[in-house]
Amino acid sequence: MNDMTQTNLERALKIVGSRPARPDGVDKVTGRALFGADKSLPNMLVGRVLRSPYAHAKIISIDTSKAEKLEGVKAIITSADFEDFPSEFVPNGEMVVNMKDITRNVMAREKVLYVGHTLAAVAATDEDVAEKALALIDVKYDVLPHVLEVEDAEKSDAPLLHDDMITIGVEPMPTSASNVAKRVEFGLGDVEKGFSEADLIVEREFTTQQVHQGYIEPHACLASVSEDGQAELWCTTQGPFVVRNFCSKLLGFNAAQIRVTASEIGGGFGGKTVVYLEPLALALSRKSCRPVKMEMNRAEVFTSSGPTSGAKIWVKIGVKNNGKITAGDCVLKYQAGAFQGAPVGPGAMCAFAPYDLKNVRAVGFDIVVNRPKVAAYRAPGGPISEYGVESVIDEIAMKIGMDPIDLRLKNAAKEGTVAPYGPKLGPIGMIETLEAAKSHPHYSAPLGANQARGVASGFWFNIGGETSSSITINEDGTVGLTLGTPDIGGSRASMAMMASEELGVPMELIKPIIGDTNSLGFNFLTGGSRATFSTGTTVVESTREAIEELKKRAALLWEVSLDQVEWVDGHARLISGNEPKTMSLAQIAKQAGKTGGPIMANCSMNVTGAGPSLGTHIVDVEVDEETGQVSIVRYTAIQDAGKAIHPAYVEGQMQGGAVQGIGWALNEEYIYNDKGELENTGFLDYRIPVCSDVPMIDTVIVEVPNPNHPYGVRGVGETPIIPPLAAISNAVSRATNKRFDELPLSPPKVLAKLMHG
Amino acid sequence: MPKTHISTQINGDSYEFLCNTQQTLLDVLRQELDLKGSKEGCATGDCGACSVMMDDRLVCACLVLGAEADGKKIETVEGLSSGSSLDPLQQKFIDLAALQCGICTPGVLVAARALLEKNKSPSEEEVRFWLAGNLCRCTGYDKIVRAVLEVAAEARNA
Ligand code: FES
Ligand code: FES
């Protein structure tokens, strides 16, 4: 792999690194592109869901008999239509899932565990009938006390969500059930010894609120199961293969029976990595033998999909007067929602990962509460823990009178650093992004009245995983690419660019599509910043295999041995001989029938060697001391991309991630009333940043190549949401001379702190 | 429930349809007329994914009743291009990567076109406030705003 990388990096690149139009651009600007809710079938039914009005209740009975009699109702399902599973943990990218929990989240069984929890679903001839049928379903509950916050849920007398849940990872193993699903710990060295060597120790507690990915496209799907049990599923998802596997397991189909086609996807950010409506639509379609379409409305997206955790965290850092950190320690308590699986493991692993520390510990707790089960959200767990650490680092910088970038540089992780979560790091760009931040004109620009500047860094692992893609050389010399990871932000362009670079064929002649689950081997989902890294790796490998085949065909036609042929600029070239002889890809393709048949190649592998991506953000804020309003005046995001295949889409990831982080820092939060009902179930009250809330987001792409990708790609999607939380909080703290330790920094909270300290 | 008969013009073509009284224009466009370019992100007027023009006024199609379209002229994203030529905004959005997932794009384009019809040289701030009703969760708005400003500048210099 290393040699291959070298050749690519040394060769002058023609396409990679440029900014061509994306292949799906015209479809997306003309309204042609079909998203989850945009497909219909003849004879289609509408599916709707009955959801729990209670945060916590025992289900005594569900009577659907009246609803079934309503004219136009074609199928009703409850948990009785789903098989039960024993507790079994399955890895799902950066998260772990349990089939016992998934089946209960998809359809409540013994209890409802949050407002919005699915109880039943109806398929009817139209929406009105479906809604009327829902109203006729009679559910008897035994309402139980509920718990929403981790500090309440961990108390010994807290209402128990699962009376068989024994905390994992605690010695000795507890003898009674609790809401604490597990304890994790990562670390190095001796933390106590490290603190004893410190000249200054700062410790602080932080609170963050539950936030939602906020994709603009609600969940939607269309299922069609025929009388012989063959199923077609169209849905908006980050992973059609993952959906197929979950659905086949939940419903007792075999994998070959379900073909999943991913629609264009209107944002996911981790939230479209699990199943909600898909198994319901399949079950309803199986029961009615008619196509069933289901869509969530916006309120359902908020109450019943998978936001990320709110948390309580405690961070302690010791430092020498010269800025050298002697020890770091933290405790993270993350909300899991109704079922275990908060992203506290990755949160604990990356909390101190931007730094080269000898004594470090991160302890995490995964705690269930009566809120929707969390799903992945862009760098799951990372923004929360790193917010705490990066805030304390800033406080230390102020206390010892050191520039916050210099303090970070003094402790920065680099190649060879042993990460707090175990491995020795390969080449990474922490120092490079910090240096780029320091020399950026933004960092030394003058500030206005009531303004201050904040800085923070972020670390994210990125992942590889099972991936499969294929390339076909058409008879006229054009090229087809079939990819298995849905394109959320321009990845089809990057894939076509890499194939174009390898083949020496113009990108316009290459057509990339996302294949369905029958067209390729298993592909893990688009997530973990893995698409350009993993699918890119398979595209390059299969393209190289296709080039070998093209050379073979040319050798046959020229009647020479293969080693006499090389591939240059889209042509086979004869190495020896007096006359330079070349044959274009199109000429070889045209004669493929004579030389052995169609030319295609595929590559399926479990891609490893993802490279962590580091980022550093600079933000200027202005605080209105009368209202508590914080405005973002200027913003610069700097990140190590390894290699930017299509820099405009890398910038787009950095800008989009930064603005999601701004929302998390300033406005976004789930607000519950005392009945456990979510009060802000729309975009009016759950306020994501709008265009007039933010300035231009300046970007600097740093490139420290990942040696494990043919072009050096690291993956960039997740890191940029990490730094904004602390960068903004640090800026507000500096602007007001008060240390803020709670998100969101919404006007009432800021004002309260300004008035009462 | 009896349905109402509506005659309207959409993207220059005459349309007739039946709708019931509570059906929104967005539902009619998407479900009855199969014009799926306008998107539903919220159905409450908060996201702008359903932005269309009704008699030269920018509206959220999810807040307008289908029956209100009677005798009106509706323009949707499907009507932005003419023949094989894209509206300059559409082309610029592709050139500058002003879309990622693309779900907000139809609404943003319709809204931005409406702005440029009214104001040939909007400032960055004017673009930002005009588009404040069009949520985009992917791009952070930077490239969208740049695309609109560039199209305005190019139109002025043309
Ligand atoms: S769908 Fe109309 S504004 Fe959101
Ligand atoms: S491009 Fe995805 S919401 Fe705007």
Side-chain angles (χ1 to χ4, degrees):
Chain A
M1 200 67 119
N2 259 323
D3 289 350
M4 172 172 93
T5 309
Q6 283 308 332
T7 31
N8 267 340
L9 297 177
E10 280 158 16
R11 173 175 106 200
L13 297 171
K14 295 201 174 101
I15 311 286
V16 165
S18 69
R19 300 172 177 236
R22 60 196 278 172
D24 55 323
V26 171
D27 281 357
K28 295 250 163 92
V29 299
T30 54
R32 251 186 210 89
L34 295 178
F35 290 83
D38 295 344
K39 207 164 177 153
S40 305
L41 282 171
N43 211 24
M44 186 176 85
L45 302 173
V46 177
R48 295 289 294 148
V49 175
L50 181 69
R51 299 190 179 278
S52 169
Y54 298 113
H56 193 191
K58 236 167 105 175
I59 303 169
I60 295 169
S61 63
I62 305 182
D63 180 359
T64 59
S65 56
K66 270 201 210 113
E68 272 156 32
K69 289 192 197 100
L70 188 70
E71 195 189 323
V73 172
K74 302 294 175 184
I76 300 183
I77 52 168
T78 63
S79 64
D81 294 85
F82 291 83
E83 195 191 324
D84 200 1
F85 289 88
S87 184
E88 178 202 345
F89 290 94
V90 204
N92 190 31
E94 294 154 320
M95 310 284 281
V96 173
V97 296
N98 185 332
M99 288 311 294
K100 179 183 177 196
D101 294 341
I102 288 188
T103 193
R104 279 166 177 72
N105 196 36
V106 159
M107 195 61 100
R109 225 160 238 278
E110 302 84 5
K111 295 208 278 187
V112 286
L113 294 162
Y114 54 96
V115 173
H117 199 164
T118 305
L119 278 158
V122 174
T125 45
D126 67 32
E127 215 172 304
D128 285 347
V129 177
E131 289 290 345
K132 275 185 199 127
L134 292 182
L136 291 174
I137 298 177
D138 184 20
V139 187
K140 297 226 174 342
Y141 303 92
D142 180 4
V143 179
L144 302 167
H146 67 275
V147 60
L148 294 168
E149 306 296 338
V150 290
E151 57 272 39
D152 300 325
E154 64 180 351
K155 287 184 187 144
S156 58
D157 60 348
L160 279 186
L161 274 74
H162 307 279
D163 51 21
D164 58 349
M165 199 164 79
I166 305 288
T167 313
I168 302 169
V170 177
E171 290 295 334
M173 200 164 108
T175 50
S176 56
S178 76
N179 291 320
V180 182
K182 71 169 186 283
R183 177 187 185 278
V184 293
E185 181 174 335
F186 298 91
L188 296 170
D190 180 341
V191 178
E192 294 320 322
K193 185 170 150 279
F195 283 122
S196 71
E197 290 162 4
D199 295 323
L200 170 73
I201 293 174
V202 172
E203 65 180 294
R204 198 169 273 285
E205 267 181 28
F206 299 88
T207 308
T208 70
Q209 296 301 325
Q210 179 150 53
V211 296
H212 196 275
Q213 299 84 352
Y215 32 83
I216 305 300
E217 180 202 30
H219 297 265
C221 66
L222 172 59
S224 179
V225 185
S226 61
E227 288 74 359
D228 63 355
Q230 299 302 310
E232 295 278 341
L233 179 67
W234 161 272
C235 61
T236 174
T237 177
Q238 295 174 236
F241 292 88
V242 171
V243 168
R244 178 192 67 187
N245 290 2
F246 279 140
C247 289
S248 54
K249 211 159 183 181
L250 287 168
L251 296 163
F253 283 102
N254 62 48
Q257 267 175 298
I258 308 185
R259 182 171 73 135
V260 181
T261 306
S263 70
E264 292 297 334
I265 170 169
F269 314 106
K272 290 176 183 164
T273 54
V274 283
V275 291
Y276 301 106
L277 299 177
E278 298 82 358
L280 307 182
L282 282 166
L284 288 168
S285 178
R286 178 161 67 182
K287 225 170 179 174
S288 61
C289 282
R290 285 174 66 169
V292 175
K293 181 167 174 171
M294 298 186 80
E295 295 171 55
M296 282 194 195
N297 61 35
R298 180 54 55 184
E300 289 178 293
V301 173
F302 278 117
T303 61
S304 310
S305 65
T308 195
S309 317
K312 280 265 178 225
I313 53 189
W314 168 86
V315 178
K316 177 175 170 184
I317 297 176
V319 69
K320 289 277 194 200
N321 284 331
N322 66 5
K324 194 81 195 147
I325 296 174
T326 60
D329 197 2
C330 71
V331 176
L332 314 169
K333 295 177 178 177
Y334 283 19
Q335 299 163 358
F339 300 95
Q340 63 183 293
V344 73
M349 286 159 77
C350 70
F352 289 101
Y355 303 103
D356 185 352
L357 304 183
K358 300 290 166 274
N359 306 300
V360 56
R361 176 171 60 193
V363 174
F365 294 93
D366 179 8
I367 302 174
V368 295
V369 289
N370 294 109
R371 296 169 179 249
K373 160 79 176 79
V374 300
Y377 180 20
R378 211 166 192 160
I384 302 168
S385 61
E386 296 188 56
Y387 151 67
V389 170
E390 291 294 299
S391 296
V392 171
I393 292 211
D394 191 66
E395 187 172 354
I396 287 174
M398 285 180 82
K399 286 202 163 129
I400 62 172
M402 200 166 170
D403 175 89
I405 293 184
D406 288 342
L407 176 58
R408 287 178 173 85
L409 275 169
K410 189 148 194 119
N411 296 286
K414 51 193 168 296
E415 182 167 7
T417 293
V418 178
Y421 57 96
K424 207 182 228 174
L425 297 171
I428 58 163
M430 178 67 173
I431 291 173
E432 289 79 354
T433 69
L434 286 167
E435 282 170 348
K438 204 165 175 201
S439 60
H440 194 284
H442 181 173
Y443 198 58
S444 46
L447 287 159
N450 296 323
Q451 294 184 355
R453 182 162 297 142
V455 182
S457 296
F459 170 104
W460 191 248
F461 318 91
N462 300 332
I463 60 169
E466 287 173 87
T467 313
S468 168
S469 66
S470 70
I471 179 168
T472 50
I473 310 292
N474 302 324
E475 314 79 78
D476 61 354
T478 59
V479 177
L481 284 181
T482 305
L483 313 165
T485 43
D487 175 358
I488 314 193
S491 63
R492 269 167 292 202
S494 309
M495 302 308 154
M497 289 167 77
M498 285 185 265
S500 162
E501 190 72 54
E502 294 288 323
L503 275 173
V505 161
M507 186 184 157
E508 304 76 62
L509 300 184
I510 301 177
K511 169 106 178 167
I513 63 152
I514 309 300
D516 61 49
T517 53
N518 249 48
S519 54
L520 290 169
F522 179 82
N523 270 273
F524 187 59
L525 45 79
T526 297
S529 304
R530 72 180 283 279
T532 310
F533 170 67
S534 305
T535 305
T537 299
T538 65
V539 165
V540 171
E541 290 289 326
S542 57
T543 306
R544 287 177 184 177
E545 204 184 308
I547 290 172
E548 276 310 295
E549 188 59 31
L550 287 159
K551 282 161 60 185
K552 256 189 231 162
R553 304 298 178 94
L556 261 175
L557 290 163
W558 282 329
E559 298 182 352
V560 299
S561 63
L562 177 60
D563 59 8
Q564 291 303 298
V565 182
E566 59 179 356
W567 191 261
V568 184
D569 278 343
H571 291 72
R573 189 161 75 184
L574 196 57
I575 294 172
S576 64
N578 305 330
E579 302 238 320
K581 220 173 171 185
T582 64
M583 204 185 303
S584 72
L585 180 137
Q587 287 167 320
I588 302 170
K590 198 159 72 186
Q591 303 176 73
K594 284 198 285 196
T595 56
I599 300 168
M600 73 170 294
N602 55 54
C603 172
S604 295
M605 60 193 284
N606 194 346
V607 184
T608 56
S613 177
L614 272 298
T616 298
H617 292 195
I618 312 168
V619 60
D620 295 353
V621 303
E622 185 169 316
V623 181
D624 182 334
E625 305 219 341
E626 306 265 289
T627 62
Q629 174 86 29
V630 176
S631 331
I632 306 294
V633 180
R634 184 169 178 181
Y635 204 101
T636 303
I638 298 149
Q639 193 179 334
D640 174 17
K643 173 73 194 170
I645 302 293
H646 192 308
Y649 289 106
V650 171
E651 293 162 4
Q653 289 296 320
M654 293 162 69
Q655 292 163 334
V659 171
Q660 274 185 324
I662 290 171
W664 198 333
L666 291 186
N667 293 312
E668 296 177 36
E669 62 176 316
Y670 268 39
I671 300 169
Y672 280 92
N673 64 20
D674 57 5
K675 290 196 205 112
E677 296 161 340
L678 185 62
E679 297 218 299
N680 51 341
T681 59
F683 281 133
L684 190 62
D685 305 319
Y686 184 93
R687 195 171 184 291
I688 72 173
V690 306
C691 197
S692 53
D693 288 343
V694 288
M696 292 296 186
I697 309 293
D698 202 358
T699 55
V700 179
I701 300 173
V702 171
E703 294 184 326
V704 179
N706 172 13
N708 302 317
H709 181 277
Y711 290 95
V713 166
R714 289 183 182 275
V716 292
E718 293 167 292
T719 301
I721 199 174
I722 298 172
L725 283 60
I728 291 167
S729 181
N730 293 341
V732 174
S733 299
R734 284 170 182 261
T736 57
N737 260 321
K738 303 219 186 270
R739 188 43 64 175
F740 281 80
D741 49 17
E742 199 180 330
L743 298 183
L745 294 164
S746 53
K749 286 187 187 155
V750 172
L751 205 56
K753 181 104 177 173
L754 289 179
M755 283 163 49
H756 312 295
Chain B
M1 198 186 307
K3 294 200 170 188
T4 319
H5 178 250
I6 305 295
S7 313
T8 182
Q9 209 192 67
I10 303 175
N11 302 325
D13 295 332
S14 301
Y15 278 84
E16 313 236 333
F17 58 85
L18 294 175
C19 71
N20 45 40
T21 42
Q22 76 275 40
Q23 229 171 346
T24 66
L25 176 58
L26 182 61
D27 287 341
V28 168
L29 290 171
R30 290 179 53 83
Q31 289 161 22
E32 310 298 329
L33 307 178
D34 219 19
L35 289 164
K36 298 267 172 56
S38 307
K39 306 298 178 191
E40 180 177 308
C42 67
T44 50
D46 300 315
C47 78
C50 63
S51 301
V52 301
M53 299 299 290
M54 186 157 89
D55 277 357
D56 301 325
R57 207 161 58 86
L58 180 64
V59 297
C60 292
C62 71
L63 294 183
V64 173
L65 291 175
E68 289 178 71
D70 198 35
K72 300 256 169 48
K73 276 203 286 234
I74 310 292
E75 283 166 77
T76 70
V77 67
E78 285 93 345
L80 274 182
S81 55
S82 62
S84 64
S85 58
L86 297 177
D87 182 281
L89 278 166
Q90 292 175 307
Q91 189 59 51
K92 190 62 80 181
F93 268 53
I94 297 174
D95 294 345
L96 294 193
L99 58 141
Q100 281 177 35
C101 79
I103 194 84
C104 68
T105 311
V108 171
L109 286 169
V110 169
R113 178 41 66 211
L115 169 65
L116 298 188
E117 297 304 312
K118 271 186 190 278
N119 183 348
K120 300 271 176 260
S121 43
S123 63
E124 181 191 332
E125 198 179 7
E126 285 172 321
V127 173
R128 287 192 179 276
F129 277 92
W130 183 268
L131 293 180
N134 290 85
L135 300 180
C136 173
R137 192 60 157 170
C138 299
T139 64
Y141 303 105
D142 183 297
K143 294 184 191 308
I144 292 176
V145 174
R146 283 178 204 278
V148 175
L149 290 171
E150 269 193 32
V151 169
E154 282 167 16
R156 287 197 303 275
N157 298 334

